[in-house]
Amino acid sequence: MHALVLAATEAGELRDGLAAIGAGLVYGLAAIGPGIGIGMVVSNAIQAMARQPEMAGPVRVTMFLGIAFTEALALFGFVLFFLAQG
Amino acid sequence: MILGAFEFPPIDELFRWKDVLLDDTPVAINKTAILMLVSATIVVVLFVGGSRRRRLIPGRLQNLLEVTYEFIDRGIARDVIGPEGARYTPFLGSLFLFILFTNWWSVMPFIQFPPTSRFGVPLYLALQTWVIYWFVGFRHHGIRYLTGHIFPAGVPKPLYLLVTPIELVQLLIVRPFSLAVRLLANMMAGHILLAALALLTAYALQNAPVIALGPFLLNIGVMAFEILVGFLQAYIFTLLTAVYIGDSLHPAH
């Protein structure tokens, strides 16, 4: 089966296809963790704001900080996506 | 398959501009440079012009500038750094407004390109922040700024093997790099998304006009979202700069 697939495609084509799959996976996998993380940050920030509306200002600043740090991981994946595309 | 032949142009085509002035010299000027100069000029003209004839009861422009200044001063400088943060408000304010205006070029009709999506621009801004927080730290605490950071108090001695390299890499590389990449990747992603939707609309108009409405409406929605993202990224960049400066001033916590 593998030999058949290999015989049917040019070597370069196979490499390009694998590179494209890899590049797609890089970003998709890198987005999972930060996606969950940002969800947790924001949900807890909303809970805090709802319980103590007078603290909404500081909580919002801290929430953005938390989002920024969590999001950085996903963005590294996004940059890697371009590098992996070569 | 209606969209079978749709071809997305190479990424370089969306981000690389030809030099228009002083070609092939290290100071060649292209669209990115022009937009940066224009944004810087807008900030300077707004503030110099707006504060020329100050009145006790502010006019429209003066009011807008006062609100902006107060947002930086109260919301970022004093809140994050502390009372002595007021010294850094002018720097943080110009940083915020410069990034804001450069980001917003991405949705300006006929221009539609954020200079911050070229790595050089956010990298320079991040290195500037890097130099400033090291300088502030060393000026206020001398060498204890560095030792206090890489040998945090209250950590068991053997753990320094693990903690010290992490803290050192964090101070030297991770902070400026993540600052730069965060801004770059956000603006780049927005620009690519807008370009893809616009191309899809144009392609659908030629081949299947019925479905062109979908990407067109989506494009307008994403543009509104990009205005928000541009503001948010400028805010986060300034906020993190303030956090790093504050950390250099009071490294204890």
Side-chain angles (χ1 to χ4, degrees), chain B residues 50-65:
Chain B
S51 57
R52 179 73 63 67
R53 281 178 294 133
R54 274 170 297 186
R55 297 208 197 89
L56 190 59
I57 300 161
R60 256 182 289 180
L61 181 62
Q62 195 188 336
N63 211 343
L64 179 74
L65 296 179

Side-chain angles (χ1 to χ4, degrees), chain B residues 31-105:
Chain B
K31 188 170 173 178
T32 315
I34 293 175
L35 289 180
M36 280 174 67
L37 290 173
V38 172
S39 339
T41 315
I42 292 176
V43 178
V44 171
V45 166
L46 260 183
F47 270 79
V48 172
S51 57
R52 179 73 63 67
R53 281 178 294 133
R54 274 170 297 186
R55 297 208 197 89
L56 190 59
I57 300 161
R60 256 182 289 180
L61 181 62
Q62 195 188 336
N63 211 343
L64 179 74
L65 296 179
E66 279 181 8
V67 168
T68 314
Y69 190 85
E70 226 171 78
F71 168 68
I72 310 282
D73 192 52
R74 294 266 164 77
I76 299 179
R78 280 175 212 262
D79 247 30
V80 176
I81 302 180
E84 68 270 45
R87 282 189 60 198
Y88 300 95
T89 308
F91 167 62
L92 294 173
S94 30
L95 188 67
F96 173 77
L97 287 171
F98 176 72
I99 300 177
L100 184 71
F101 284 127
T102 42
N103 282 352
W104 276 352
W105 288 121

Side-chain angles (χ1 to χ4, degrees), chain A residues 57-58 60-65 67-79 81-82 85, chain B residues 11 75 79-80 174 177-178 181-186 188-189 192 232-233 235-236 239-240 243-244:
Chain A
R60 191 174 300 118
V61 172
T62 318
M63 179 187 82
F64 278 126
L65 277 180
I67 290 178
F69 285 128
T70 320
E71 183 198 45
L73 296 171
L75 297 175
F76 289 151
F78 179 73
V79 172
F81 161 73
F82 285 103
Q85 264 186 336
Chain B
I11 293 298
D79 247 30
V80 176
V174 174
F177 188 67
S178 65
V181 168
R182 178 176 305 114
L183 182 56
L184 167 90
N186 270 291
M188 201 170 155
I192 293 175
L232 211 59
Q233 289 309 316
Y235 176 67
I236 285 178
L239 193 67
L240 284 173
V243 167
Y244 294 153

Side-chain angles (χ1 to χ4, degrees), chain B residues 21-225:
Chain B
L21 222 69
L22 304 168
D23 300 19
D24 295 328
T25 59
V27 288
I29 297 214
N30 59 6
K31 188 170 173 178
T32 315
I34 293 175
L35 289 180
M36 280 174 67
L37 290 173
V38 172
S39 339
T41 315
I42 292 176
V43 178
V44 171
V45 166
L46 260 183
F47 270 79
V48 172
S51 57
R52 179 73 63 67
R53 281 178 294 133
R54 274 170 297 186
R55 297 208 197 89
L56 190 59
I57 300 161
R60 256 182 289 180
L61 181 62
Q62 195 188 336
N63 211 343
L64 179 74
L65 296 179
E66 279 181 8
V67 168
T68 314
Y69 190 85
E70 226 171 78
F71 168 68
I72 310 282
D73 192 52
R74 294 266 164 77
I76 299 179
R78 280 175 212 262
D79 247 30
V80 176
I81 302 180
E84 68 270 45
R87 282 189 60 198
Y88 300 95
T89 308
F91 167 62
L92 294 173
S94 30
L95 188 67
F96 173 77
L97 287 171
F98 176 72
I99 300 177
L100 184 71
F101 284 127
T102 42
N103 282 352
W104 276 352
W105 288 121
S106 73
V107 287
M108 190 70 70
F110 304 110
I111 294 174
Q112 295 183 313
F113 173 69
T116 33
S117 65
R118 295 304 309 266
F119 197 37
V121 184
L123 188 65
Y124 166 72
L125 294 170
L127 286 180
Q128 181 182 305
T129 297
W130 184 80
V131 168
I132 286 174
Y133 77 70
W134 275 94
F135 180 76
V136 169
F138 271 105
R139 210 176 119 201
H140 285 258
H141 303 283
I143 194 66
R144 286 185 44 215
Y145 164 66
L146 186 61
T147 52
H149 258 100
I150 60 177
F151 300 116
V155 176
K157 286 257 151 52
L159 269 185
Y160 281 148
L161 270 178
L162 192 67
V163 173
T164 305
I166 294 180
E167 286 289 327
L168 200 60
V169 169
Q170 152 98 350
L171 269 181
L172 276 174
I173 301 169
V174 174
R175 276 182 183 182
F177 188 67
S178 65
L179 260 186
V181 168
R182 178 176 305 114
L183 182 56
L184 167 90
N186 270 291
M187 298 325 291
M188 201 170 155
H191 186 56
I192 293 175
L193 194 57
L194 286 177
L197 286 171
L199 284 169
L200 211 57
T201 311
Y203 183 82
L205 267 182
Q206 283 172 357
N207 296 286
V210 196
I211 61 167
L213 197 64
F216 179 69
L217 290 179
L218 206 59
N219 205 352
I220 293 176
V222 172
M223 268 194 185
F225 183 64

